[in-house]
């Protein structure tokens, strides 16, 4: 049997708020440099160049067609390398990694690039008979289909997660991200803006000097109470929600028995589950539980969690369902999507890149476990358990 696939390289773009420094970069042009960097890093890790099997990328709101194939060609991979674009909404990037790993596990030993990309700034306006709409339905008639901010607010009310807890968690995510950025925690994983042709200073805001992801540090514990609620008598605000963002992330995967001596993250188990579409933010919790069960591990054995922080209320609900503390130091240690931003189709892959930096680049010993996970619109969750190999 083929050994578990291993991520041996992981890179991402800076994450920019919609309308800022990546706003003029089309979705395929945003993905291409990340794909190229992941390929080059992967070949360097293996010590040789090989024939690539596929490029699998997640994307939610792009122009249609096959973004992964367009980006693969733009990255200079050659006409022989195919591409596949998948959409599992906020879980798309992680689902793409799982899909690529599944092909490797099935016996095709050619390395694969997997990840995700979103350009919220260039997402087209969609219409039916000339009537525009923001997104397609997540559920059919007769099922709940709330917008994500509304769903987060409803979840907070249902579980008694008050405004103070949400603001405290959002402030924590930003503090963690600022601290991480200033100590260089993102330096090895992030490509410079110039690679994407994004020059100038369109990242105007309050981010500290030296912080590349432009939402980081944009809110503070003192400022958070000043944000008005998004809904009457609600608790979710723009301050304790993620920024809608542009960004891309990609990883290089090889079969575990064909990685030479390259260190990396072996994908030990994964799970994709459904949950109540009225409360889609909870989906990551049962997905994590199922993935850990399949890996034969428990929460206590995990050294690092990267769970997409779409809203503070949503993340706190997931932590509560899992029995983890609000400030568990293993969860999004360097800040999550609340601070970095949330490029929908890319965020699941950003979580894998972050695990790679925290565990592989960070020197964690072989056998260390990490979990990446996301809750998904329509009532789903996706999670994967990785193990450090050296």
């Amino acid at each position: 049997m083929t050994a578990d696939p291993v991520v041996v390289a992981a890179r991402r773009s800076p994450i920019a708020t919609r309308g800022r420094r990546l706003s003029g970069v089309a979705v395929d042009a945003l993905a291409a440099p990340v794909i190229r960097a992941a390929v080059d890093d992967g070949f360097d890790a293996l010590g040789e160049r090989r024939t690539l099997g596929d490029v699998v990328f997640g994307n939610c709101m792009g122009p249609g067609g096959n973004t992964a194939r367009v980006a693969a060609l733009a990255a200079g991979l050659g006409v022989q390398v195919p591409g596949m674009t998948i959409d599992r909404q906020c879980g798309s990037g992680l689902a793409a990694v799982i899909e690529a790993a599944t092909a490797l596990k099935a016996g095709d030993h050619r390395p694969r690039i997997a990840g995700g990309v979103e350009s919220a700034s260039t997402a087209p306006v969609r219409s039916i008979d000339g009537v525009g709409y923001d997104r397609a339905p997540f559920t059919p008639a007769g099922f709940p289909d709330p917008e994500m901010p509304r769903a987060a607010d409803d979840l907070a009310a249902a579980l008694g997660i008050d405004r103070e807890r949400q603001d405290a968690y959002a402030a924590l995510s930003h503090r963690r991200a600022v601290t991480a950025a200033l100590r260089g925690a993102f330096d090895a994983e992030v490509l410079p803006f110039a690679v994407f042709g994004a020059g100038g200073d369109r990242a105007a805001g309050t981010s500290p000097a030296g912080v590349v992801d432009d939402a980081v540090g944009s809110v503070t514990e003192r400022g958070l109470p000043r944000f008005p609620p998004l809904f009457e008598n609600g608790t979710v605000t723009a301050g304790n929600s993620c920024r809608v963002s542009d960004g891309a992330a990609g990883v290089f995967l090889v079969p575990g028995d064909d990685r030479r001596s390259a260190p990396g993250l072996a994908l030990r188990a994964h799970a994709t589950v459904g949950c109540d579409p009225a409360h889609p933010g909870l989906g990551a919790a049962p997905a994590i539980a199922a993935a850990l069960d399949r890996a034969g591990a428990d929460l206590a054995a995990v050294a690092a969690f990267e769970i997409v922080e779409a809203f503070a209320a949503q993340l706190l609900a997931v932590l509560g369902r899992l029995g983890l503390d609000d400030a568990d130091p293993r969860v999004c240690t360097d800040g999550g999507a609340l601070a970095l931003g949330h490029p929908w189709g890319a965020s699941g892959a950003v979580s894998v890149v972050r695990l790679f930096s925290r565990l592989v680049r960070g020197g964690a010993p072989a056998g260390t476990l990490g979990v990446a996970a996301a809750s998904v619109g329509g009532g789903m969750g996706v999670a994967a358990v990785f193990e450090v190999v050296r």
Side-chain angles (χ1 to χ4, degrees):
M1 179 179 290
T2 301
D4 290 333
V6 176
V7 174
V8 297
R11 299 296 289 274
R12 69 176 176 90
S13 73
I15 299 173
T17 303
R18 178 171 56 187
R20 291 191 177 175
R21 286 185 70 176
L22 292 172
S23 64
V25 184
V27 67
D28 53 291
L30 186 52
V34 171
I35 291 171
R36 183 75 258 171
V39 168
D40 291 342
D41 286 357
F43 287 148
D44 286 347
L46 296 177
E48 65 179 14
R49 302 189 76 81
R50 301 182 187 176
T51 300
L52 294 173
D54 207 352
V55 174
V56 186
F57 253 53
N59 179 246
C60 301
M61 299 294 288
N66 188 348
T67 295
R69 169 63 170 171
V70 177
L73 290 170
L77 302 190
V79 297
Q80 75 282 359
V81 180
M84 178 171 66
T85 306
I86 62 175
D87 178 1
R88 206 185 283 278
Q89 292 299 300
C90 296
S92 298
L94 182 54
V97 174
I98 292 169
E99 180 68 23
T102 299
L104 289 168
K105 187 74 171 174
D108 185 340
H109 283 199
R110 295 174 299 168
R112 276 157 169 76
I113 301 297
V117 61
E118 203 71 54
S119 174
S121 295
T122 65
V125 175
R126 304 180 182 199
S127 68
I128 298 176
D129 293 331
V131 178
Y133 64 96
D134 291 332
R135 65 166 175 86
F138 291 152
T139 62
F143 286 83
D145 189 17
E147 295 295 330
M148 294 302 99
R150 178 82 264 179
D153 206 79
D154 290 346
L155 185 60
L159 299 182
I161 302 172
D162 61 29
R163 168 75 180 269
E164 288 72 25
R165 278 183 69 195
Q166 294 175 55
D167 284 354
Y169 187 85
L172 175 63
S173 185
H174 279 272
R175 286 198 306 273
R176 285 172 165 172
V178 169
T179 299
L182 295 181
R183 76 166 188 271
F186 306 129
D187 291 355
E189 70 189 39
V190 179
L191 300 173
F193 274 111
V195 170
F196 305 89
D201 185 13
R202 298 193 63 193
T206 56
S207 297
V211 174
V212 176
D213 304 303
D214 68 35
V216 171
S218 59
V219 298
T220 64
E221 193 163 11
R222 177 177 295 182
L224 278 163
R226 301 172 188 169
F227 285 87
L230 300 181
F231 308 101
E232 186 176 0
N233 299 319
T235 56
V236 170
T237 73
N240 57 40
S241 305
C242 66
R243 298 273 190 100
V244 175
S245 306
D246 306 327
V251 303
F252 188 101
L253 295 109
V254 296
D257 53 8
D258 195 26
R259 66 180 177 90
R260 303 297 172 89
S261 60
L265 292 176
L267 179 53
R268 295 303 189 208
H270 58 85
T272 303
V273 304
C275 67
D276 185 351
H279 297 306
L282 277 174
I288 290 169
L292 284 172
D293 182 65
R294 293 172 187 174
D298 58 21
L299 290 165
V302 179
F305 292 91
E306 287 292 333
I307 307 171
V308 176
E309 299 172 344
F311 301 88
Q314 167 263 325
L315 196 283
L316 290 169
V318 168
L319 295 183
R321 186 61 56 93
L322 292 171
L324 300 178
D325 293 338
D326 290 5
D328 190 310
R330 300 174 296 168
V331 178
C332 299
T333 302
D334 298 329
L338 284 167
L340 301 177
H342 184 9
W344 307 301
S347 290
V350 171
S351 294
V352 181
V353 174
R354 293 271 54 252
L355 281 181
F356 191 89
S357 285
R358 289 176 61 186
L359 299 178
V360 179
R361 292 184 175 111
T368 302
L369 296 183
V371 169
S375 298
V376 182
M380 293 181 286
V382 58
V385 179
F386 295 91
E387 180 180 342
V388 176
V389 293
R390 294 199 180 277

